[in-house]
Amino acid sequence: MQSADAKFNKNSLLLALRGYSSAVSDMERTVLLPSMLRDVPTDEAWDCDATEESCRDLYSNYLMLKAIRTTVESSLVLLDDHKAKSNAALDKTLEPLLDTDPETLFHFHLIGLFSVMSDLTKKTQSLTVKYMDIIGVAN
Amino acid sequence: MQSADAKFNKNSLLLALRGYSSAVSDMERTVLLPSMLRDVPTDEAWDCDATEESCRDLYSNYLMLKAIRTTVESSLVLLDDHKAKSNAALDKTLEPLLDTDPETLFHFHLIGLFSVMSDLTKKTQSLTVKYMDIIGVAN
């Protein structure tokens, strides 16, 4: 398995997953009092759904980013867990995917995973910087 | 990076990618004359699109499975390359995804990638068995 390990160490999907894990570790080392993030609004539109009672604050983002890191590191993906987290819009998107050939599906999900990992890594770094602003520490 | 390596070595997404790579290596070792797969029909519905002039044969599946293995091992995913391979149905599915929160998107693509890797691994093993049938070698 030595050569297979060497091959996969160069794998940039693995690097993207590691990069995210490392960004969350930095966040955890920096954010010593996560409760200071409570009620601090986020800038992103997706955090605030008109149908929800309250919009997400930075504290719930902090918890979400840590939970995703656990999934990234353990890959303990439970289909039931995913089902609970999925929404109507996403369920609808699955319908045309069922008829798609596996080659196209593979590229679709691989690129999608790269893209969302990059988004989550930036979000983690931005939350860390915001916390430092709140406690008055210069970067 | 030692502890990070250890963590990711347990990662089952990595194991799924390795399992696929290993199945394609077995296929390559077994299929010494890939041209014997030409014009051998496949059973899967997705291989045969009514709008295409001809349906896929096992030979084109063989080439496709090898090409995906190269992407899995190098992760040299080019967005342009993906764009060329995407189809109208898939482009349409991307629209609602743009408004989805990253946590849901992450689970969607992670589970999607697991699922398609499992599908492709089975397909590779089935092609290998079919080749052995054609050349008259018992399993």
Side-chain angles (χ1 to χ4, degrees):
Chain A
M1 288 296 282
Q2 280 295 323
S3 65
D5 279 359
K7 266 181 199 167
F8 282 104
N9 283 344
K10 286 189 295 180
N11 189 304
S12 53
L13 175 61
L14 188 63
L15 288 181
L17 296 171
R18 270 192 194 140
Y20 175 66
S21 185
S22 161
V24 175
S25 295
D26 283 346
M27 178 183 79
E28 279 183 312
R29 270 195 296 272
T30 307
V31 182
L32 298 177
L33 292 167
S35 61
M36 291 193 74
L37 299 170
R38 275 192 204 277
D39 303 323
V40 180
T42 65
D43 306 324
E44 288 90 358
W46 60 264
D47 291 326
C48 189
D49 188 336
T51 58
E52 281 179 33
E53 278 184 33
S54 62
C55 293
R56 258 185 170 161
D57 58 6
L58 275 188
Y59 180 70
S60 60
N61 267 13
Y62 172 85
L63 296 179
M64 182 266 284
L65 294 165
K66 279 182 59 162
I68 291 179
R69 196 259 313 261
T70 306
T71 308
V72 164
E73 288 184 353
S74 67
S75 276
L76 291 172
V77 185
L78 300 168
L79 286 173
D80 288 347
D81 181 51
H82 164 70
K83 216 166 182 179
K85 278 178 184 155
S86 71
N87 60 28
L90 216 53
D91 285 345
K92 215 173 170 183
T93 63
L94 286 171
E95 287 169 25
L97 287 178
L98 294 174
D99 295 329
T100 310
D101 71 89
E103 188 178 14
T104 309
L105 259 189
F106 165 73
H107 285 96
F108 172 70
H109 286 301
L110 187 62
I111 287 172
L113 200 55
F114 266 113
S115 162
V116 76
M117 289 322 295
S118 157
D119 187 21
L120 287 167
T121 303
K122 280 183 205 146
K123 207 171 281 299
T124 306
Q125 288 161 342
S126 142
L127 189 149
T128 308
V129 168
K130 196 124 183 177
Y131 176 84
M132 289 169 85
D133 280 350
I134 293 168
I135 61 164
V137 174
N139 292 324
Chain B
M1 290 298 282
Q2 278 297 320
S3 66
D5 277 359
K7 268 180 199 167
F8 281 105
N9 282 344
K10 286 190 295 183
N11 187 304
S12 54
L13 175 61
L14 188 63
L15 288 181
L17 295 171
R18 270 192 196 140
Y20 175 66
S21 186
S22 163
V24 175
S25 295
D26 282 348
M27 177 183 80
E28 280 182 312
R29 270 195 296 274
T30 306
V31 182
L32 297 177
L33 292 167
S35 60
M36 291 192 74
L37 300 170
R38 275 193 204 276
D39 302 323
V40 180
T42 64
D43 306 325
E44 289 90 357
W46 60 264
D47 291 327
C48 190
D49 186 338
T51 59
E52 282 178 31
E53 277 185 33
S54 62
C55 294
R56 258 185 169 160
D57 58 7
L58 275 189
Y59 181 71
S60 60
N61 268 13
Y62 172 85
L63 296 179
M64 183 266 285
L65 294 165
K66 280 182 59 163
I68 291 179
R69 196 260 311 263
T70 306
T71 308
V72 164
E73 288 185 353
S74 67
S75 275
L76 291 173
V77 185
L78 299 169
L79 287 173
D80 287 348
D81 181 49
H82 164 69
K83 217 166 180 178
K85 278 178 184 158
S86 71
N87 60 27
L90 215 52
D91 286 346
K92 218 175 171 183
T93 63
L94 285 170
E95 287 170 23
L97 286 178
L98 295 174
D99 295 327
T100 311
D101 70 88
E103 188 178 12
T104 309
L105 258 189
F106 166 72
H107 284 96
F108 171 70
H109 286 301
L110 187 63
I111 287 171
L113 199 55
F114 266 113
S115 162
V116 77
M117 288 323 297
S118 157
D119 187 20
L120 286 166
T121 303
K122 279 180 205 147
K123 205 172 285 297
T124 305
Q125 288 161 342
S126 142
L127 188 149
T128 309
V129 169
K130 196 122 186 180
Y131 175 85
M132 287 167 83
D133 279 350
I134 293 169
I135 62 166
V137 174
N139 291 326

